[in-house]
Amino acid sequence: MKQWLFISLLAIVSHIALAAGDVETGRQLAMQGNNQGATACVACHGANGEGNASAGFPRLTGLNAEYLAKQLRDYRAGSRTNPTMNPIAAALDAAASRDVAAYYASLDPAGDASKGKESAAGRTLALRGDWDNTIPACVSCHGPGGRGVDPAFPALAGQHASYIKMQLQAWRDGKRRNDANDLMKVVAERMSEEQIQAVADYFAAAPVQPDAGADQ
Ligand code: HEC
Ligand code: HEC
């Protein structure tokens, strides 16, 4: 019995040690890439992880470290496919993924003006859903104002509209398949093209939550 307890404690402690990435090592990777073939993240995701609205490069700040590390793992495993990110994630091992995730989660996402257009239809869908078409309110999973619910439900507030739209289309078309229990697939499949655009505009214009991702 005592031995069992010891082993469980050891497992818990080593899990914690594994889970925490090193922010400084992650920063270097983000700035410089690595010699396994990962390009510097800043080239696309911006000097401060703010992404790029016109290119559709997502904002990485405001997202939780565990969520970010999961995405890198999913790109490596192929349950999330993207011709740009698959080879970059393949050049990161699990430790490097955790480090760079910890770095982006440590940055303050506030102060970066969002670029979306106001959308009344998007607001209704986000806050109340569309029950005629069995679409739940986005905030029921993604938290009030789309601030995110750590670690499983990513923040949407302040994410670029172009990127949000691409992700909803990817789920609808079966190209992103990394959501537990198909939670997002079921939502995206029921949305019209107009609803996708409207809700993407709404969340892009929503204020980024200053403490989003900070609890990692
Ligand atoms: C050449 C441009 C480019 C570079 C360099 C790049 N990325 Fe990306 N990244 C993208 C694009 C485009 C996407 C969206 C892909 C998709 O639709 O799945 C993306 C998506 C991501 C996501 C998913 C974000 C989310 O909200 O789910 C993560 C995490 C990520 N990149 C991390 C990194 C890291 C870490 C590096 C550096 C080691 C990096 N990227 C380098 C272009 C790039
Ligand atoms: C039943 C819960 C649930 C509901 C409702 C829901 N989502 Fe999600 N959503 C998720 C989960 C879980 C993920 C993360 C999947 C993963 O692990 O990659 C996600 C991820 C996303 C992403 C990807 C973010 C990124 O950084 O890549 C977008 C965009 C998104 N959801 C938009 C929406 C919109 C818009 C709505 C409302 C129309 C909505 N979601 C409703 C559960 C939900």
Side-chain angles (χ1 to χ4, degrees):
M1 190 62 193
K2 259 189 193 151
Q3 192 183 6
W4 175 85
L5 189 68
F6 176 73
I7 291 167
S8 324
L9 277 175
L10 199 68
I12 291 165
V13 170
S14 57
H15 176 77
I16 292 168
L18 276 175
D22 181 67
V23 171
E24 181 49 31
T25 313
R27 193 185 66 81
Q28 281 170 28
L29 178 59
M31 299 295 158
Q32 295 158 20
N34 69 19
N35 53 19
Q36 276 87 59
T39 328
C41 320
V42 291
C44 298
H45 292 286
N48 298 303
E50 71 277 18
N52 181 313
S54 52
F57 301 148
R59 167 198 294 286
L60 299 182
T61 55
L63 294 168
N64 150 285
E66 234 175 276
Y67 172 80
L68 291 169
K70 174 184 182 287
Q71 300 310 307
L72 294 171
R73 198 165 62 231
D74 293 345
Y75 282 126
R76 264 200 311 277
S79 57
R80 189 170 174 185
T81 55
N82 176 265
T84 307
M85 278 310 298
N86 289 139
I88 292 174
L92 304 177
D93 60 19
S97 302
R98 279 192 301 270
D99 293 343
V100 78
Y103 167 66
Y104 280 111
S106 77
L107 298 178
D108 182 359
D112 195 17
S114 40
K115 317 277 190 307
K117 294 174 281 181
E118 296 288 329
S119 166
R123 184 173 199 276
T124 306
L125 190 61
L127 304 186
R128 292 201 224 120
D130 167 10
W131 288 103
D132 290 345
N133 292 302
T134 339
I135 303 172
C138 314
V139 298
S140 63
C141 288
H142 289 278
R147 64 181 299 120
V149 178
D150 295 343
F153 304 101
L156 300 177
Q159 185 54 275
H160 304 298
S162 50
Y163 173 75
I164 294 179
K165 187 175 165 184
M166 266 188 330
Q167 298 313 302
L168 293 170
Q169 290 167 337
W171 265 304
R172 183 194 63 196
D173 302 343
K175 292 189 189 126
R176 184 168 172 179
R177 307 180 312 275
N178 64 336
D179 47 329
N181 303 319
D182 288 336
L183 290 178
M184 274 309 300
K185 177 182 195 286
V186 171
V187 173
E189 273 176 352
R190 294 171 181 162
M191 294 174 77
S192 69
E193 205 56 42
E194 292 73 27
Q195 284 178 315
I196 289 179
Q197 183 67 56
V199 83
D201 285 335
Y202 171 75
F203 279 117
V208 188
Q209 306 288 329
D211 61 343
D215 44 346
Q216 276 296 305

